[in-house]
């Protein structure tokens, strides 16, 4: 069982930056690939980024955030991060972190957090 708690969301102006954090419980965090997803009103949840179970391993990004976002993890702190720069109003969404034993770019993750709201004003 893995419990995930996101933080770091908020209101930011377009062009600004935010760093989202996702703290995981349990000693098995290092076994899980981690992903970030987002969902805005009226839209389906979409993939944002994912990282393999070890820091420095493969990472994947959605085209919409590639070059503006960086996913990273600290297994000693049981935490995964999403650094987002040059934010745009279309980045406004609830952001979720998720854990999977398999590195994925789809939503078939095993555990999910409750989400953190990111609002980008124009």
């Amino acid at each position: 069982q893995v419990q995930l708690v996101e933080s770091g969301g908020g209101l930011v102006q377009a062009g600004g930056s935010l760093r989202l954090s996702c703290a995981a419980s349990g000693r098995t965090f290092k076994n899980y690939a981690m992903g970030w997803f987002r969902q805005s009103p009226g839209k389906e949840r979409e993939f944002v980024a994912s990282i393999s179970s070890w820091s420095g391993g493969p990472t994947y990004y959605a085209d919409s955030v590639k070059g503006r976002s960086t996913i990273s993890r600290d297994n000693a702190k049981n935490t995964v991060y999403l650094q987002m720069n040059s934010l745009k109003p279309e980045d406004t969404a609830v952001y979720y972190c998720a854990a999977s034993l398999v590195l994925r770019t789809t939503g078939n993750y095993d555990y999910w957090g409750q989400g953190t709201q990111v609002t980008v004003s124009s």
Side-chain angles (χ1 to χ4, degrees):
Q1 188 81 7
V2 177
Q3 292 183 326
L4 304 171
V5 179
E6 302 94 337
S7 62
L11 174 64
V12 63
Q13 289 188 333
S17 298
L18 280 176
R19 187 176 82 156
L20 306 183
S21 299
C22 174
S25 65
R27 295 176 292 177
T28 58
F29 174 75
K30 64 182 181 180
N31 296 334
Y32 286 84
M34 299 297 296
W36 284 97
F37 293 78
R38 66 186 183 186
Q39 187 169 21
S40 51
K43 296 186 178 180
E44 293 186 353
R45 183 175 60 196
E46 64 174 354
F47 168 78
V48 176
S50 61
I51 187 169
S52 64
S53 59
W54 68 98
S55 181
T59 56
Y60 297 95
Y61 296 92
D63 288 342
S64 57
V65 303
K66 194 175 295 182
R68 300 188 296 121
S69 297
T70 303
I71 187 170
S72 62
R73 66 188 295 159
D74 185 339
N75 285 351
K77 295 182 178 180
N78 280 12
T79 302
V80 63
Y81 305 97
L82 182 68
Q83 176 69 44
M84 300 188 296
N85 302 320
S86 302
L87 284 161
K88 306 174 182 180
E90 50 264 43
D91 293 318
T92 295
V94 177
Y95 284 71
Y96 300 90
C97 72
S100 170
L101 288 174
V102 178
L103 181 60
R104 306 177 188 274
T105 59
T106 62
N108 297 329
Y109 277 64
D110 302 304
Y111 301 101
W112 292 83
Q114 293 186 328
T116 185
Q117 176 71 47
V118 171
T119 303
V120 184
S121 63
S122 58

